[in-house]
Amino acid sequence: MKRNQTWQLEIGEKHMPPQRLHRSTSKKPNWIIILVCLISIAMIGAYVFPPQRYSSCYFFSTNMCDQFKDWLPPMERVISDEELSSQVVINEILSMTPVKSETGKIAFMFLTPSTLPFEKLWEKFFLGHEDRYSIYVHASKKKPVNRSPVFANTNIRSDNVVWGKISMVDAERRLLANAFQDPNNQHFVLLSDSCIPLHNFNRVYRYLMESNVSFIDCFDDTGPHGTSGRYSENMMPEVEMKDFRKGSQWFSIKRQHALLILADSLYYKKFRLFCRPGMDGDKNCYSDEHYLPTLFNMVDPGGIANRSITYVDWTERKWHPKAFKAKDISYELLRNLSTVDQFVHIASGKNQVVEWITCSLNGVKRPCFLFARKFFPETLDSLMTHFSPIFQLHIDQWV
Ligand SMILES: *[C@@H]1O[C@H](CO)[C@@H](O)[C@H](O)[C@H]1NC(C)=O
Ligand SMILES: *[C@@H]1O[C@H](CO)[C@@H](O)[C@H](O)[C@H]1NC(C)=O
Ligand SMILES: *[C@@H]1O[C@H](CO)[C@@H](O)[C@H](O)[C@H]1NC(C)=O
């Protein structure tokens, strides 16, 4: 008997630990499941009924809240004083009704290192339209030698411009600030020394003055030279990754948008600090390709055409676009460029087409390009001979 009892006891003892183990393992998961459920409900609740700002912390004590805040889905963030005043100013500028003046002028703003090689060509373009244009030249390296009286006294105070750096944006803003002072300037076109006009003055004038949008090139490049390779998290919280855009720098904008660019310091500062070559170790960001597309994508996406009016040939797929030589110039080439009516955005890397834009003006189909680049100075004579026939060219889409 005693032996048997001992045996039972032994059995009992032997059975006890596994039983306890079994009981405790079956209890713990329940506990965890209940806890996880409670937290999930709280998180779903906070997500579905987002309270103002971070007050979702109503559910947790303040200490716990700090830990849970990181896990919660993004809430409406707190707007800083600087961002609030920036929003107020930008909204006010965008809500102004544009001045419609009969005597409106177009400001032609040239970004060049020095002498403009095509002054003679531009002189022909401007001839006879003296009260409808103004010219501003930003020569970043050397004072230009003028070959045409049209360009006399057009230089503004300039500063060094380094390709790809913020100094490029600074020069654009400097040109805008100078041109904006003339209240008759209604539209502002940025051009380079290698740009030429593709249409006569009357067509260019009407196209730009009639347009109800600004021509700022803007698209979402998902390739390595787009958002993934260039956006920096340091731009948060004002500029999120989803807002980051790319586009050619050669803009053509309405007066209202010129003022907006001059008034902006918040976004400009973000790009000056966090969009530059050699960012975050290996990122090469170029403000002149990203600042304006991103800014307008954020504040006035419906107010821009998302395309440029300056033709450029990227088909060689090099760091710089193709530049036309004297032997390339023909009537046929210029006619082709002036009648293109589709604009394409191609992502970097695998070169896939992001979108085709059918060019239009206030909803009516029109040629895409008023200007073209890049042309070597040696093309001048050839361009001059083709100029008059091209300017008289009948283009069906022009009313
Ligand atoms: C430009 O793109 C934005 C955003 O994709 C869009 O809202 C806007 O309508 C586009 N502009 C035009 C003129 O199509
Ligand atoms: C002009 O366009 C036509 C039709 O697309 C093309 O066949 C021709 O090669 C182009 N010419 C030049 C000089 O670009
Ligand atoms: C510009 O005009 C087109 C065609 O009338 C219209 O669809 C578009 O909304 C206008 N855009 C703006 C910013 O007024």
Side-chain angles (χ1 to χ4, degrees):
M1 274 299 278
K2 204 181 173 198
R3 207 186 147 84
N4 215 1
Q5 269 181 339
T6 324
W7 181 81
Q8 275 190 330
L9 217 121
E10 271 173 10
I11 299 281
E13 274 171 1
K14 269 201 172 132
H15 272 260
M16 276 298 274
Q19 242 183 4
R20 224 179 12 235
L21 196 76
H22 180 71
R23 254 183 39 218
S24 64
T25 45
S26 75
K27 236 197 160 134
K28 204 169 181 187
N30 282 344
W31 244 102
I32 291 170
I33 288 167
I34 291 167
L35 188 68
V36 166
C37 283
L38 277 174
I39 292 172
S40 308
I41 290 167
M43 285 171 76
I44 290 168
Y47 192 69
V48 175
F49 306 104
Q52 290 297 308
R53 317 253 157 120
Y54 288 116
S55 57
S56 55
C57 295
Y58 64 95
F59 215 88
F60 311 105
S61 74
T62 325
N63 269 347
M64 275 179 79
C65 181
D66 285 332
Q67 287 166 25
F68 280 109
K69 207 158 68 179
D70 295 341
W71 302 359
L72 289 170
M75 295 290 136
E76 195 184 310
R77 62 186 174 82
V78 181
I79 305 279
S80 67
D81 290 343
E82 194 186 5
E83 199 175 358
L84 181 63
S85 17
S86 167
Q87 279 179 5
V88 168
V89 171
I90 287 176
N91 289 340
E92 188 66 22
I93 292 171
L94 290 175
S95 67
M96 296 181 334
T97 11
V99 193
K100 285 262 180 222
S101 66
E102 286 298 311
T103 54
K105 290 198 282 186
I106 293 175
F108 291 82
M109 311 183 301
F110 289 88
L111 255 181
T112 175
S114 176
T115 299
L116 290 168
F118 300 128
E119 277 193 11
K120 280 283 170 204
L121 195 67
W122 287 105
E123 180 186 80
K124 251 182 142 167
F125 172 81
F126 289 125
L127 199 71
H129 306 286
E130 282 66 32
D131 50 351
R132 293 195 289 163
Y133 70 84
S134 35
I135 300 174
Y136 302 85
V137 178
H138 185 286
S140 54
K141 286 212 177 93
K142 240 168 59 196
K143 193 172 184 290
V145 179
N146 292 140
R147 284 158 188 164
S148 157
V150 164
F151 284 85
N153 304 318
T154 56
N155 276 341
I156 66 160
R157 182 191 62 76
S158 70
D159 205 342
N160 261 352
V161 171
V162 181
W163 183 74
K165 296 226 172 140
I166 196 74
S167 54
M168 185 74 95
V169 175
D170 293 340
E172 294 172 5
R173 286 165 62 113
R174 200 172 294 126
L175 278 163
L176 282 174
N178 277 273
F180 196 84
Q181 293 175 53
D182 181 342
N184 287 324
N185 285 336
Q186 295 298 310
H187 205 97
F188 301 74
V189 190
L190 185 68
L191 298 156
S192 82
D193 50 316
S194 71
C195 279
I196 63 156
L198 288 175
H199 298 281
N200 62 37
F201 187 90
N202 282 331
R203 282 179 178 169
V204 168
Y205 183 87
R206 275 174 44 205
Y207 196 107
L208 297 180
M209 294 301 255
E210 283 172 15
S211 175
N212 66 359
V213 292
S214 284
F215 297 95
I216 292 178
D217 190 27
C218 174
F219 76 111
D220 190 2
D221 183 351
T222 48
H225 303 306
T227 307
S228 61
R230 295 184 175 183
Y231 173 75
S232 163
E233 298 257 301
N234 288 324
M235 289 193 182
M236 294 275 276
E238 291 90 349
V239 183
E240 293 179 42
M241 195 175 197
K242 66 173 172 55
D243 299 321
F244 198 69
R245 291 292 181 280
K246 182 177 169 176
S248 152
Q249 80 181 102
W250 307 104
F251 61 71
S252 175
I253 58 175
K254 302 186 322 157
R255 189 171 173 87
Q256 212 170 25
H257 285 158
L259 182 60
L260 196 156
I261 294 169
L262 292 172
D264 172 50
S265 68
L266 179 79
Y267 299 102
Y268 165 77
K269 207 160 64 190
K270 286 274 157 174
F271 280 81
R272 180 167 53 87
L273 293 174
F274 305 119
C275 176
R276 44 194 172 86
M279 257 315 286
D280 293 354
D282 59 345
K283 281 193 171 137
N284 287 314
C285 186
Y286 307 99
S287 279
D288 56 281
E289 284 189 355
H290 296 281
Y291 166 55
L292 294 182
T294 305
L295 173 66
F296 282 89
N297 175 54
M298 291 177 71
V299 305
D300 194 15
I304 59 169
N306 301 321
R307 67 174 172 96
S308 165
I309 45 161
T310 302
Y311 174 89
V312 69
D313 184 351
W314 281 107
T315 52
E316 291 180 348
R317 308 240 133 261
K318 293 184 185 153
W319 262 111
H320 292 283
K322 176 191 161 106
F324 293 99
K325 299 199 178 75
K327 65 172 171 51
D328 299 323
I329 308 304
S330 64
Y331 174 79
E332 198 188 344
L333 172 79
L334 296 173
R335 192 195 56 199
N336 279 5
L337 302 186
S338 63
T339 52
V340 172
D341 58 8
Q342 297 278 315
F343 191 97
V344 65
H345 279 135
I346 297 174
S348 55
K350 284 188 232 124
N351 299 339
Q352 78 268 29
V353 170
V354 178
E355 64 183 332
W356 282 99
I357 295 176
T358 298
C359 296
S360 65
L361 189 68
N362 306 341
V364 180
K365 202 171 167 216
R366 286 288 167 87
C368 298
F369 303 113
L370 302 182
F371 310 102
R373 56 190 282 269
K374 310 176 74 160
F375 290 81
F376 279 116
E378 63 174 41
T379 58
L380 177 64
D381 290 343
S382 188
L383 288 170
M384 293 287 279
T385 58
H386 294 301
F387 225 51
S388 300
I390 280 295
F391 279 8
Q392 277 147 31
L393 186 70
H394 172 77
I395 299 171
D396 291 342
Q397 291 133 5
W398 293 88
V399 187

